[in-house]
Amino acid sequence: QVQLVESGGGLVQPGGSLRLSCAASGRISRMNGMGWYRQAPGKERELVATITSGENTNYADFVQGRFIISRDNAKNTVYLQMNNLKPEDTAVYYCNADGLYTRGGGYVRRLWGQGTQVTVSS
């Protein structure tokens, strides 16, 4: 019924920027925490940034000062603005939502998108 779909990934040169979007579809009334995670081949999935329903944000140290997470509750969408990208940022980026409430009283504890590839290379 509900799903998250990421977009905006691609190939960019070091120092460049990308803006990722994650749109939630379905009969959604509210989402609590949302976030972005990433996973490179052979590595564990790691947290990049999170944002609460009250728009409190937290960032991993390796993106602090470069990435900005934001959300538009009216559109059920979370964004990740990535600036000054580095080759080490290359990974599949996944969108996540915790505590998703649906119209009609439904509840989804945690939902993941399918991911979008970000490649930073010269």
Side-chain angles (χ1 to χ4, degrees):
Q1 288 277 61
V2 296
Q3 61 179 359
L4 302 177
V5 179
E6 302 98 332
S7 63
L11 175 64
V12 66
Q13 295 187 94
S17 298
L18 286 173
R19 182 177 176 86
L20 306 183
S21 298
C22 172
S25 63
R27 294 174 52 82
I28 300 167
S29 63
R30 184 193 179 198
M31 293 187 294
N32 287 333
M34 301 188 72
W36 289 94
Y37 294 71
R38 71 186 188 186
Q39 186 169 22
K43 296 183 178 180
E44 297 289 325
R45 186 173 298 186
E46 61 185 354
L47 185 148
V48 175
T50 61
I51 184 167
T52 69
S53 60
E55 302 198 20
N56 294 311
T57 59
N58 291 100
Y59 297 92
D61 288 342
F62 52 80
V63 303
Q64 185 72 48
R66 298 189 296 125
F67 292 8
I68 301 172
I69 188 171
S70 61
R71 64 190 290 170
D72 186 333
N73 291 328
K75 298 180 179 179
N76 294 130
T77 300
V78 63
Y79 306 93
L80 185 68
Q81 177 66 46
M82 304 185 294
N83 301 313
N84 192 24
L85 283 161
K86 304 176 180 180
E88 311 91 82
D89 296 319
T90 297
V92 176
Y93 284 70
Y94 296 91
C95 177
N96 155 261
D98 288 336
L100 194 156
Y101 296 85
T102 63
R103 295 193 293 271
Y107 178 76
V108 179
R109 180 66 183 87
R110 172 164 291 217
L111 185 65
W112 290 93
Q114 293 300 307
T116 184
Q117 177 71 49
V118 172
T119 302
V120 184
S121 177
S122 60

